[in-house]
Amino acid sequence: MIDKSLIDYRVYLVLDPDLCADFGMVETAVAAAQAGAGLVQLRAPGWKKKAMYECALALKEKLAALNVPLIIDDHVDVAMAVQADGIHVGQKDLPVDVVRKLVGPDMIVGLSINSLDELKQMDPDRVDYIGVGPVFRTSTKKDAASPIGLKGLEAIVRASQVPAVGIGGIKACHMGEVAATGAKGAAVVSAICGTRDPALATEALLSAWQAR
């Protein structure tokens, strides 16, 4: 069981099947985790359940050895089936109170937040962290809302009772600005996925965060 108080949110990798096609989903995750990524999320909205399940199993085995939590996007059943460390849901997915009842108190539960109104409607006792954004424009999520910018991120971070990570278009050059908002980390996709060297990309993100 993961100690939630020790979660390292600084570099939170969100896997993308298209961007990872050449290097591999599991290979990208392992390289990033070995280089310092503190969380890995499996997000593959176009996949069938079996593909999600099989990839999640492989990821769970590799990441558990590195003590890096595996988060499953959206699919609570897959998260439970592979005994993942956590589940992340959006505003249009199952309500977090239902999710918490299904997964129990120990699993990490994350929620996407785009506005202060959404944050106010959230029960912080049901959620372990929030993913706030998109901060900048992003091409990796087709149904993403309008960017909230760094000021929007900071406003939500300050109002949140749970750890918050920024997400959406964040690159190494943005890490210092994201850290300055008070966020605990940044969830990234293309900043790692699809790069020639995922480990080197992860190290660059961490260095930029620490150099703020």
Side-chain angles (χ1 to χ4, degrees):
M1 184 177 66
I2 294 292
D3 185 340
K4 295 179 183 180
S5 67
L6 298 178
I7 296 174
D8 182 356
Y9 292 99
R10 291 176 298 171
V11 175
Y12 181 166
L13 169 61
V14 180
L15 293 167
D16 181 281
D18 293 332
L19 292 176
C20 293
D22 291 335
F23 200 84
M25 293 278 275
V26 176
E27 293 79 4
T28 298
V30 170
Q34 290 176 333
L39 284 167
V40 173
Q41 180 185 132
L42 172 57
R43 186 173 77 187
W47 280 10
K48 297 292 186 180
K49 296 278 189 177
K50 184 178 180 181
M52 284 282 295
Y53 172 74
E54 291 175 346
C55 186
L57 274 180
L59 285 167
K60 175 64 178 176
E61 178 184 0
K62 296 294 186 179
L63 294 175
L66 299 170
N67 200 35
V68 172
L70 170 64
I71 310 297
I72 304 297
D73 179 60
D74 187 11
H75 299 284
V76 179
D77 54 347
V78 174
M80 295 175 69
V82 303
Q83 296 184 317
D85 302 292
I87 177 75
H88 186 95
V89 293
Q91 293 294 319
K92 297 179 181 179
D93 298 321
L94 283 176
V96 288
D97 59 335
V98 175
V99 171
R100 179 58 77 190
K101 288 178 182 178
L102 288 171
V103 304
D106 296 330
M107 189 178 284
I108 301 165
V109 174
L111 176 66
S112 295
I113 294 290
N114 178 248
S115 67
L116 285 169
D117 285 341
E118 289 178 353
L119 181 66
K120 291 175 182 176
Q121 295 172 23
M122 183 193 84
D123 182 351
D125 292 331
R126 304 285 187 180
V127 178
D128 295 301
Y129 76 90
I130 55 173
V132 184
V135 180
F136 307 112
R137 292 194 180 279
T138 175
S139 60
T140 59
K141 190 173 183 181
K142 295 180 180 179
D143 61 346
S146 298
I148 62 173
L150 291 165
K151 289 185 178 180
L153 172 62
E154 183 174 13
I156 294 173
V157 167
R158 286 186 174 183
S160 179
Q161 298 179 52
V162 299
V165 297
I167 187 170
I170 298 172
K171 309 294 184 185
C173 61
H174 303 125
M175 292 295 275
E177 295 173 311
V178 172
T181 68
K184 296 297 184 183
V188 299
V189 186
S190 61
I192 295 176
C193 297
T195 61
R196 293 183 178 180
D197 190 332
L200 189 62
T202 302
E203 291 171 356
L205 288 163
L206 273 175
S207 295
W209 181 274
Q210 294 166 349
R212 68 189 189 278

